[in-house]
Amino acid sequence: MVIRFVHTADLHLDAPLRAIALRDPDLAHQVGVASRTAFSRIVDLCIDEAVAFLLIAGDLWDGAYSSTKTPRFLKQELMRLQRAGIRCFIIRGNHDALARQTGELELPDNTHLFGGRPSTVELEVDGQPIAIHGLSFRDPHAQESLLPRYPAPKSGAFNIGMMHTSLNGSSGHDNYAPCSLADLVAHGYDYWALGHIHRRAEHLGRATIVMPGIPQGRDIGEAGPASVTLVSVAEDHAVTVEQRSVACLRFERTMMDCTGVTEWAELLSSLEDAIRAAGQAARSEDHLVIRPVLHGVTPLAWRMTRDIDRLTEEASAFAATAGLWIDKLELQIAKGGDTVGDAGTHLPAELVQTVLTELPRDPALAAALQTAAHELLRDLPPDLRDLLGQNEAELAQHCQDLLANGAPLILGGLTLDGAD
């Protein structure tokens, strides 16, 4: 008899979306409810596949904050599992540590939340003994490996370990409860249900170790497919894993080669074609958010940089027609025949030289820009204040780069008397 269960992690219900909200409040709303829709689809998957239980390996919540409606939503979904005879097992991760999450409703009888001390739940499914070992975090930080605290495997049972961990480290994720794949294998469990890293990874060997990734991306940094894991366990404890998508909203980068494009109308036509093609490739049940990445060598590079706001509005109009959302435009272009100097060919050479070389090096202008940057940062929300660096030196370098990159734009805005 084959036993099946679903393994997920990192739903981040009610994650704040300030950066998206600043650009597009309607898009922020779509992303904000997407995690709930994904969780409902996970419950649907569990019921449709008649699994024995659901594992949630941390970061079900995003922190102490949640909408007042979300705890009720969660309980209703867990009760749907209960009515179908499906159990649920949850551990806390760094975002929903026991010390942070408040205001939740009491969990239904089918749901077990592991506490701050390691423990084991033993159950029997179709005559096969299962042992599920788990540990929730009391605090948001865990600098040491937690593996030594996990119980020894139960003899004769199929042993599952639930852990929220960064493993040996991953770009974009804090070093959190670190441990190695070899150490996990050596511990003797049959399956490790991990969470924390938002990219899917599998290790299939003497122990099956799965990081399912985030089931619903929240921004372009989590582009590409998102998934949960459907696990099948045979009587001899052989494990088969299947990747299943539950996301209702996807983020994708759309590449557009601008090499050889010399006319603005041609650029807009190519951009419309690229966006339409992305829309045609999208699945009908998904909302798709794209970030067009314009790359290559084109004499329009300088104008594209100067008029990025106009170009973004054009892209948004094309996207609306195609039924998509635009995150933003990303330029990875080289100027080719359009040199920086071309921006000021209608101006006196001495003025061009002053703007391009002397202004970026002017210490008084640099100091004024840094003062303005400090004032801007004070008005930003706390989570956006690292935009220009995390210390004074990084802020100064960002300001210097802005001066250098902005000089050609200044030239483009200058005209001589009588010029159009």
Side-chain angles (χ1 to χ4, degrees):
M1 179 67 70
V2 174
I3 298 171
R4 293 194 291 180
F5 62 90
V6 169
H7 164 207
T8 188
D10 300 291
L11 274 122
H12 293 276
L13 296 176
D14 289 329
L17 305 164
R18 296 185 182 94
I20 293 177
L22 287 173
R23 291 196 298 269
D24 192 327
D26 292 334
L27 175 55
H29 173 73
Q30 293 291 335
V31 179
V33 300
S35 60
R36 298 188 200 180
T37 302
F39 188 72
S40 294
R41 290 185 176 186
I42 292 171
V43 172
D44 291 340
L45 174 64
C46 290
I47 294 172
D48 293 343
E49 297 291 343
V51 302
F53 48 86
L54 167 66
L55 305 179
I56 303 176
D59 287 358
L60 172 62
W61 304 93
D62 193 71
Y65 167 80
S66 68
S67 162
T68 56
K69 297 180 180 179
T70 306
R72 184 170 69 245
F73 158 80
L74 176 62
K75 185 165 185 175
Q76 289 171 343
E77 293 299 318
L78 294 175
M79 291 178 68
R80 280 213 294 144
L81 290 177
Q82 181 172 264
R83 289 192 292 270
I86 299 170
R87 299 187 65 176
C88 182
F89 299 90
I90 303 173
I91 62 171
R92 300 290 199 192
N94 56 308
H95 279 271
D96 54 5
L98 290 167
R100 299 180 64 174
Q101 193 60 37
T102 59
E104 295 180 39
L105 302 179
E106 186 172 340
L107 295 173
D109 293 339
N110 70 317
T111 303
H112 179 83
L113 173 63
F114 286 94
R117 294 182 179 179
S119 60
T120 301
V121 175
E122 297 184 66
L123 60 153
E124 191 172 285
V125 179
D126 294 329
Q128 183 166 324
I130 306 288
I132 302 176
H133 314 272
L135 169 66
S136 285
F137 292 96
R138 294 188 179 278
D139 300 301
H141 303 286
Q143 303 300 321
E144 304 295 331
S145 173
L146 300 169
L147 184 58
R149 300 176 59 187
Y150 276 71
K154 296 291 184 179
S155 178
F158 183 83
N159 285 269
I160 299 172
M162 299 179 66
M163 181 184 290
H164 205 74
T165 173
S166 61
L167 292 174
N168 287 328
S170 176
S171 176
H173 293 81
D174 292 336
N175 192 31
Y176 185 81
C179 62
S180 70
L181 290 175
D183 290 339
L184 291 175
V185 172
H187 199 74
Y189 293 172
D190 301 285
Y191 184 92
W192 278 101
L194 304 183
H196 184 58
I197 298 174
H198 291 184
R199 292 290 183 185
R200 182 178 181 85
E202 298 177 2
H203 173 81
L204 308 178
R206 185 158 57 91
T208 301
I209 304 171
V210 177
M211 186 75 72
I214 192 167
Q216 173 59 69
R218 298 167 298 168
D219 54 41
I220 198 66
E222 294 169 345
S227 67
V228 301
T229 303
L230 176 63
V231 184
S232 300
V233 181
E235 291 185 19
D236 62 355
H237 291 185
V239 176
T240 303
V241 298
E242 300 176 47
Q243 183 177 350
R244 295 293 185 91
S245 174
V246 295
C248 63
L249 186 149
R250 291 188 300 117
F251 292 86
E252 298 286 354
R253 282 183 167 85
T254 298
M255 306 303 293
M256 175 182 155
D257 189 356
C258 299
T259 300
V261 176
T262 59
E263 300 294 333
W264 192 258
E266 181 186 2
L267 174 68
L268 295 182
S269 178
S270 299
L271 181 59
E272 182 178 12
D273 290 344
I275 291 173
R276 185 185 299 114
Q280 292 172 347
R283 296 178 300 190
S284 60
E285 68 272 19
D286 284 348
H287 295 287
L288 181 62
V289 182
I290 65 171
R291 176 177 292 187
V293 180
L294 283 59
H295 64 98
V297 179
T298 169
L300 296 175
W302 179 84
R303 183 180 175 186
M304 291 165 67
T305 302
R306 184 194 67 180
D307 295 337
I308 186 65
D309 54 343
R310 295 176 56 191
L311 200 56
T312 300
E313 287 300 317
E314 296 279 6
S316 297
F318 297 147
T321 302
L324 311 178
W325 299 86
I326 290 289
D327 165 56
K328 62 182 289 188
L329 294 189
E330 183 175 328
L331 301 183
Q332 299 178 0
I333 49 176
K335 296 180 177 61
D338 178 24
T339 65
V340 171
D342 290 337
T345 52
H346 62 294
L347 299 171
E350 184 178 352
L351 176 60
V352 172
Q353 179 71 12
T354 298
V355 171
L356 291 180
T357 62
E358 296 180 18
L359 284 184
R361 299 174 186 172
D362 187 319
L365 181 59
L369 182 57
Q370 289 182 47
T371 298
H374 279 295
E375 294 174 355
L376 170 64
L377 293 175
R378 280 196 296 270
D379 293 333
L380 290 177
D383 58 331
L384 296 180
R385 291 175 187 167
D386 287 341
L387 286 175
L388 296 179
Q390 298 183 359
N391 54 54
E392 192 71 24
E394 291 181 3
L395 175 65
Q397 184 59 54
H398 274 292
C399 290
Q400 187 65 39
D401 293 340
L402 289 171
L403 280 174
N405 294 331
L409 303 182
I410 295 174
L411 291 176
L414 297 178
T415 59
L416 297 175
D417 290 341
D420 292 334

mmCIF file of all heavy atoms in Angstrom, residues 105-140:
data_model
loop_
_atom_site.group_PDB
_atom_site.id
_atom_site.type_symbol
_atom_site.label_atom_id
_atom_site.label_comp_id
_atom_site.label_asym_id
_atom_site.label_seq_id
_atom_site.Cartn_x
_atom_site.Cartn_y
_atom_site.Cartn_z
ATOM 1 N N LEU A 105 -6.102 31.824 15.952
ATOM 2 C CA LEU A 105 -7.184 31.029 16.504
ATOM 3 C C LEU A 105 -6.652 29.667 16.926
ATOM 4 O O LEU A 105 -5.597 29.218 16.481
ATOM 5 C CB LEU A 105 -8.294 30.868 15.463
ATOM 6 C CG LEU A 105 -8.920 32.164 14.931
ATOM 7 C CD1 LEU A 105 -9.984 31.835 13.897
ATOM 8 C CD2 LEU A 105 -9.517 32.989 16.054
ATOM 9 N N GLU A 106 -7.405 28.981 17.765
ATOM 10 C CA GLU A 106 -7.001 27.648 18.197
ATOM 11 C C GLU A 106 -7.060 26.692 17.011
ATOM 12 O O GLU A 106 -8.009 26.701 16.216
ATOM 13 C CB GLU A 106 -7.925 27.169 19.313
ATOM 14 C CG GLU A 106 -7.498 25.850 19.944
ATOM 15 C CD GLU A 106 -8.328 25.514 21.159
ATOM 16 O OE1 GLU A 106 -8.942 26.444 21.727
ATOM 17 O OE2 GLU A 106 -8.376 24.327 21.523
ATOM 18 N N LEU A 107 -6.041 25.859 16.886
ATOM 19 C CA LEU A 107 -5.963 24.946 15.747
ATOM 20 C C LEU A 107 -6.963 23.809 15.910
ATOM 21 O O LEU A 107 -7.230 23.352 17.023
ATOM 22 C CB LEU A 107 -4.545 24.387 15.628
ATOM 23 C CG LEU A 107 -3.449 25.406 15.305
ATOM 24 C CD1 LEU A 107 -2.078 24.760 15.385
ATOM 25 C CD2 LEU A 107 -3.666 26.034 13.932
ATOM 26 N N PRO A 108 -7.513 23.304 14.786
ATOM 27 C CA PRO A 108 -8.428 22.169 14.878
ATOM 28 C C PRO A 108 -7.690 20.892 15.293
ATOM 29 O O PRO A 108 -6.460 20.828 15.281
ATOM 30 C CB PRO A 108 -8.989 22.061 13.461
ATOM 31 C CG PRO A 108 -8.012 22.755 12.587
ATOM 32 C CD PRO A 108 -7.378 23.824 13.419
ATOM 33 N N ASP A 109 -8.479 19.864 15.631
ATOM 34 C CA ASP A 109 -7.907 18.643 16.198
ATOM 35 C C ASP A 109 -6.984 17.904 15.243
ATOM 36 O O ASP A 109 -6.111 17.143 15.682
ATOM 37 C CB ASP A 109 -9.032 17.701 16.639
ATOM 38 C CG ASP A 109 -9.830 18.262 17.812
ATOM 39 O OD1 ASP A 109 -9.289 19.133 18.510
ATOM 40 O OD2 ASP A 109 -10.985 17.832 18.002
ATOM 41 N N ASN A 110 -7.165 18.104 13.943
ATOM 42 C CA ASN A 110 -6.334 17.365 12.980
ATOM 43 C C ASN A 110 -4.943 17.965 12.822
ATOM 44 O O ASN A 110 -4.095 17.397 12.133
ATOM 45 C CB ASN A 110 -7.015 17.334 11.613
ATOM 46 C CG ASN A 110 -7.029 18.707 10.943
ATOM 47 O OD1 ASN A 110 -7.296 19.726 11.590
ATOM 48 N ND2 ASN A 110 -6.726 18.750 9.656
ATOM 49 N N THR A 111 -4.692 19.124 13.445
ATOM 50 C CA THR A 111 -3.447 19.869 13.208
ATOM 51 C C THR A 111 -2.556 19.824 14.434
ATOM 52 O O THR A 111 -2.993 20.112 15.550
ATOM 53 C CB THR A 111 -3.759 21.330 12.850
ATOM 54 O OG1 THR A 111 -4.610 21.353 11.706
ATOM 55 C CG2 THR A 111 -2.487 22.100 12.538
ATOM 56 N N HIS A 112 -1.278 19.481 14.201
ATOM 57 C CA HIS A 112 -0.298 19.431 15.294
ATOM 58 C C HIS A 112 0.783 20.472 15.023
ATOM 59 O O HIS A 112 1.439 20.461 13.977
ATOM 60 C CB HIS A 112 0.341 18.043 15.390
ATOM 61 C CG HIS A 112 1.369 17.957 16.472
ATOM 62 N ND1 HIS A 112 1.050 17.720 17.795
ATOM 63 C CD2 HIS A 112 2.729 18.084 16.446
ATOM 64 C CE1 HIS A 112 2.141 17.694 18.521
ATOM 65 N NE2 HIS A 112 3.182 17.923 17.718
ATOM 66 N N LEU A 113 0.972 21.395 15.957
ATOM 67 C CA LEU A 113 2.034 22.387 15.889
ATOM 68 C C LEU A 113 3.153 21.969 16.829
ATOM 69 O O LEU A 113 2.958 21.886 18.039
ATOM 70 C CB LEU A 113 1.503 23.765 16.298
ATOM 71 C CG LEU A 113 2.526 24.888 16.435
ATOM 72 C CD1 LEU A 113 3.196 25.176 15.102
ATOM 73 C CD2 LEU A 113 1.872 26.145 16.990
ATOM 74 N N PHE A 114 4.321 21.689 16.268
ATOM 75 C CA PHE A 114 5.464 21.305 17.092
ATOM 76 C C PHE A 114 5.919 22.498 17.925
ATOM 77 O O PHE A 114 5.906 23.641 17.465
ATOM 78 C CB PHE A 114 6.615 20.793 16.217
ATOM 79 C CG PHE A 114 6.376 19.430 15.656
ATOM 80 C CD1 PHE A 114 5.823 19.257 14.390
ATOM 81 C CD2 PHE A 114 6.711 18.292 16.392
ATOM 82 C CE1 PHE A 114 5.611 17.997 13.870
ATOM 83 C CE2 PHE A 114 6.504 17.023 15.886
ATOM 84 C CZ PHE A 114 5.944 16.867 14.620
ATOM 85 N N GLY A 115 6.341 22.228 19.143
ATOM 86 C CA GLY A 115 6.745 23.282 20.062
ATOM 87 C C GLY A 115 8.218 23.609 19.975
ATOM 88 O O GLY A 115 8.934 23.184 19.060
ATOM 89 N N GLY A 116 8.693 24.348 20.979
ATOM 90 C CA GLY A 116 10.076 24.798 21.009
ATOM 91 C C GLY A 116 11.060 23.739 21.457
ATOM 92 O O GLY A 116 12.271 23.992 21.480
ATOM 93 N N ARG A 117 10.565 22.571 21.843
ATOM 94 C CA ARG A 117 11.437 21.437 22.142
ATOM 95 C C ARG A 117 11.164 20.338 21.120
ATOM 96 O O ARG A 117 10.019 20.124 20.731
ATOM 97 C CB ARG A 117 11.172 20.919 23.551
ATOM 98 C CG ARG A 117 11.554 21.904 24.645
ATOM 99 C CD ARG A 117 11.308 21.305 26.017
ATOM 100 N NE ARG A 117 11.701 22.224 27.088
ATOM 101 C CZ ARG A 117 11.580 21.958 28.368
ATOM 102 N NH1 ARG A 117 11.054 20.783 28.762
ATOM 103 N NH2 ARG A 117 11.967 22.850 29.272
ATOM 104 N N PRO A 118 12.203 19.633 20.666
ATOM 105 C CA PRO A 118 11.986 18.587 19.664
ATOM 106 C C PRO A 118 11.072 17.495 20.200
ATOM 107 O O PRO A 118 11.152 17.124 21.371
ATOM 108 C CB PRO A 118 13.395 18.060 19.391
ATOM 109 C CG PRO A 118 14.202 18.448 20.586
ATOM 110 C CD PRO A 118 13.618 19.732 21.084
ATOM 111 N N SER A 119 10.196 17.023 19.354
ATOM 112 C CA SER A 119 9.275 15.959 19.751
ATOM 113 C C SER A 119 8.934 15.109 18.543
ATOM 114 O O SER A 119 9.265 15.458 17.397
ATOM 115 C CB SER A 119 8.004 16.545 20.376
ATOM 116 O OG SER A 119 7.328 17.385 19.454
ATOM 117 N N THR A 120 8.254 14.017 18.800
ATOM 118 C CA THR A 120 7.907 13.046 17.758
ATOM 119 C C THR A 120 6.429 12.699 17.862
ATOM 120 O O THR A 120 5.909 12.482 18.957
ATOM 121 C CB THR A 120 8.743 11.764 17.902
ATOM 122 O OG1 THR A 120 10.136 12.109 17.818
ATOM 123 C CG2 THR A 120 8.408 10.758 16.812
ATOM 124 N N VAL A 121 5.774 12.666 16.727
ATOM 125 C CA VAL A 121 4.398 12.182 16.647
ATOM 126 C C VAL A 121 4.423 10.859 15.885
ATOM 127 O O VAL A 121 4.933 10.792 14.762
ATOM 128 C CB VAL A 121 3.478 13.189 15.926
ATOM 129 C CG1 VAL A 121 2.078 12.595 15.753
ATOM 130 C CG2 VAL A 121 3.419 14.501 16.687
ATOM 131 N N GLU A 122 3.901 9.821 16.505
ATOM 132 C CA GLU A 122 3.831 8.508 15.855
ATOM 133 C C GLU A 122 2.392 8.235 15.447
ATOM 134 O O GLU A 122 1.467 8.439 16.218
ATOM 135 C CB GLU A 122 4.341 7.416 16.803
ATOM 136 C CG GLU A 122 5.811 7.585 17.181
ATOM 137 C CD GLU A 122 6.328 6.444 18.034
ATOM 138 O OE1 GLU A 122 6.389 5.299 17.520
ATOM 139 O OE2 GLU A 122 6.644 6.692 19.216
ATOM 140 N N LEU A 123 2.221 7.767 14.221
ATOM 141 C CA LEU A 123 0.906 7.408 13.724
ATOM 142 C C LEU A 123 1.017 6.200 12.812
ATOM 143 O O LEU A 123 2.134 5.782 12.439
ATOM 144 C CB LEU A 123 0.263 8.583 12.988
ATOM 145 C CG LEU A 123 0.983 9.159 11.754
ATOM 146 C CD1 LEU A 123 -0.036 9.793 10.807
ATOM 147 C CD2 LEU A 123 2.015 10.212 12.174
ATOM 148 N N GLU A 124 -0.113 5.642 12.466
ATOM 149 C CA GLU A 124 -0.144 4.481 11.590
ATOM 150 C C GLU A 124 -1.067 4.789 10.429
ATOM 151 O O GLU A 124 -2.200 5.225 10.612
ATOM 152 C CB GLU A 124 -0.628 3.247 12.355
ATOM 153 C CG GLU A 124 -0.441 1.947 11.585
ATOM 154 C CD GLU A 124 -0.735 0.724 12.425
ATOM 155 O OE1 GLU A 124 0.105 0.375 13.279
ATOM 156 O OE2 GLU A 124 -1.821 0.140 12.232
ATOM 157 N N VAL A 125 -0.577 4.579 9.217
ATOM 158 C CA VAL A 125 -1.353 4.832 8.011
ATOM 159 C C VAL A 125 -1.426 3.536 7.214
ATOM 160 O O VAL A 125 -0.397 3.029 6.760
ATOM 161 C CB VAL A 125 -0.726 5.957 7.157
ATOM 162 C CG1 VAL A 125 -1.557 6.188 5.889
ATOM 163 C CG2 VAL A 125 -0.598 7.243 7.953
ATOM 164 N N ASP A 126 -2.630 2.994 7.079
ATOM 165 C CA ASP A 126 -2.832 1.728 6.359
ATOM 166 C C ASP A 126 -1.884 0.645 6.862
ATOM 167 O O ASP A 126 -1.284 -0.102 6.075
ATOM 168 C CB ASP A 126 -2.647 1.934 4.853
ATOM 169 C CG ASP A 126 -3.725 2.831 4.261
ATOM 170 O OD1 ASP A 126 -4.856 2.810 4.779
ATOM 171 O OD2 ASP A 126 -3.427 3.554 3.290
ATOM 172 N N GLY A 127 -1.739 0.590 8.172
ATOM 173 C CA GLY A 127 -0.919 -0.441 8.783
ATOM 174 C C GLY A 127 0.568 -0.164 8.795
ATOM 175 O O GLY A 127 1.346 -0.952 9.338
ATOM 176 N N GLN A 128 0.997 0.968 8.225
ATOM 177 C CA GLN A 128 2.424 1.299 8.170
ATOM 178 C C GLN A 128 2.744 2.362 9.212
ATOM 179 O O GLN A 128 2.145 3.445 9.211
ATOM 180 C CB GLN A 128 2.805 1.802 6.772
ATOM 181 C CG GLN A 128 4.296 2.093 6.608
ATOM 182 C CD GLN A 128 4.695 2.265 5.151
ATOM 183 O OE1 GLN A 128 4.157 1.589 4.289
ATOM 184 N NE2 GLN A 128 5.627 3.158 4.885
ATOM 185 N N PRO A 129 3.687 2.098 10.114
ATOM 186 C CA PRO A 129 4.025 3.090 11.140
ATOM 187 C C PRO A 129 4.813 4.260 10.556
ATOM 188 O O PRO A 129 5.729 4.084 9.750
ATOM 189 C CB PRO A 129 4.865 2.296 12.136
ATOM 190 C CG PRO A 129 5.426 1.160 11.351
ATOM 191 C CD PRO A 129 4.431 0.831 10.288
ATOM 192 N N ILE A 130 4.436 5.465 10.981
ATOM 193 C CA ILE A 130 5.087 6.705 10.556
ATOM 194 C C ILE A 130 5.517 7.454 11.809
ATOM 195 O O ILE A 130 4.763 7.543 12.788
ATOM 196 C CB ILE A 130 4.127 7.601 9.745
ATOM 197 C CG1 ILE A 130 3.513 6.836 8.569
ATOM 198 C CG2 ILE A 130 4.842 8.864 9.276
ATOM 199 C CD1 ILE A 130 4.449 6.551 7.445
ATOM 200 N N ALA A 131 6.726 7.995 11.808
ATOM 201 C CA ALA A 131 7.213 8.828 12.902
ATOM 202 C C ALA A 131 7.613 10.182 12.323
ATOM 203 O O ALA A 131 8.482 10.253 11.448
ATOM 204 C CB ALA A 131 8.386 8.178 13.609
ATOM 205 N N ILE A 132 6.964 11.255 12.799
ATOM 206 C CA ILE A 132 7.245 12.609 12.314
ATOM 207 C C ILE A 132 7.918 13.381 13.440
ATOM 208 O O ILE A 132 7.357 13.535 14.527
ATOM 209 C CB ILE A 132 5.958 13.314 11.867
ATOM 210 C CG1 ILE A 132 5.269 12.498 10.766
ATOM 211 C CG2 ILE A 132 6.271 14.730 11.357
ATOM 212 C CD1 ILE A 132 3.939 13.074 10.321
ATOM 213 N N HIS A 133 9.129 13.846 13.188
ATOM 214 C CA HIS A 133 9.936 14.554 14.179
ATOM 215 C C HIS A 133 9.994 16.030 13.796
ATOM 216 O O HIS A 133 10.256 16.365 12.640
ATOM 217 C CB HIS A 133 11.359 13.986 14.235
ATOM 218 C CG HIS A 133 11.418 12.492 14.278
ATOM 219 N ND1 HIS A 133 11.382 11.770 15.453
ATOM 220 C CD2 HIS A 133 11.502 11.572 13.272
ATOM 221 C CE1 HIS A 133 11.460 10.478 15.184
ATOM 222 N NE2 HIS A 133 11.536 10.330 13.869
ATOM 223 N N GLY A 134 9.772 16.912 14.763
ATOM 224 C CA GLY A 134 9.771 18.338 14.428
ATOM 225 C C GLY A 134 10.199 19.223 15.571
ATOM 226 O O GLY A 134 10.242 18.806 16.738
ATOM 227 N N LEU A 135 10.505 20.467 15.234
ATOM 228 C CA LEU A 135 10.966 21.452 16.205
ATOM 229 C C LEU A 135 10.635 22.837 15.675
ATOM 230 O O LEU A 135 10.992 23.173 14.548
ATOM 231 C CB LEU A 135 12.481 21.315 16.414
ATOM 232 C CG LEU A 135 13.192 22.423 17.196
ATOM 233 C CD1 LEU A 135 12.722 22.442 18.646
ATOM 234 C CD2 LEU A 135 14.712 22.227 17.133
ATOM 235 N N SER A 136 9.931 23.633 16.475
ATOM 236 C CA SER A 136 9.647 25.020 16.117
ATOM 237 C C SER A 136 10.620 25.949 16.819
ATOM 238 O O SER A 136 11.191 25.603 17.860
ATOM 239 C CB SER A 136 8.212 25.395 16.534
ATOM 240 O OG SER A 136 7.260 24.835 15.672
ATOM 241 N N PHE A 137 10.776 27.122 16.242
ATOM 242 C CA PHE A 137 11.708 28.082 16.812
ATOM 243 C C PHE A 137 10.988 29.077 17.702
ATOM 244 O O PHE A 137 9.964 29.637 17.326
ATOM 245 C CB PHE A 137 12.461 28.796 15.699
ATOM 246 C CG PHE A 137 13.391 27.878 14.981
ATOM 247 C CD1 PHE A 137 13.001 27.273 13.805
ATOM 248 C CD2 PHE A 137 14.608 27.580 15.526
ATOM 249 C CE1 PHE A 137 13.845 26.388 13.156
ATOM 250 C CE2 PHE A 137 15.458 26.701 14.885
ATOM 251 C CZ PHE A 137 15.073 26.092 13.699
ATOM 252 N N ARG A 138 11.550 29.286 18.875
ATOM 253 C CA ARG A 138 11.007 30.280 19.792
ATOM 254 C C ARG A 138 11.437 31.682 19.399
ATOM 255 O O ARG A 138 10.742 32.659 19.654
ATOM 256 C CB ARG A 138 11.470 29.977 21.223
ATOM 257 C CG ARG A 138 10.916 28.673 21.776
ATOM 258 C CD ARG A 138 11.243 28.527 23.245
ATOM 259 N NE ARG A 138 10.701 27.298 23.794
ATOM 260 C CZ ARG A 138 9.440 27.142 24.193
ATOM 261 N NH1 ARG A 138 8.597 28.153 24.092
ATOM 262 N NH2 ARG A 138 9.021 26.000 24.671
ATOM 263 N N ASP A 139 12.611 31.802 18.777
ATOM 264 C CA ASP A 139 13.172 33.102 18.415
ATOM 265 C C ASP A 139 13.488 33.129 16.925
ATOM 266 O O ASP A 139 13.696 32.084 16.303
ATOM 267 C CB ASP A 139 14.448 33.367 19.219
ATOM 268 C CG ASP A 139 14.177 33.372 20.716
ATOM 269 O OD1 ASP A 139 13.350 34.197 21.154
ATOM 270 O OD2 ASP A 139 14.775 32.553 21.435
ATOM 271 N N PRO A 140 13.541 34.325 16.324
ATOM 272 C CA PRO A 140 13.747 34.426 14.885
ATOM 273 C C PRO A 140 15.141 34.033 14.404
ATOM 274 O O PRO A 140 15.336 33.912 13.206
ATOM 275 C CB PRO A 140 13.485 35.915 14.594
ATOM 276 C CG PRO A 140 12.709 36.413 15.747
ATOM 277 C CD PRO A 140 13.194 35.635 16.922
#
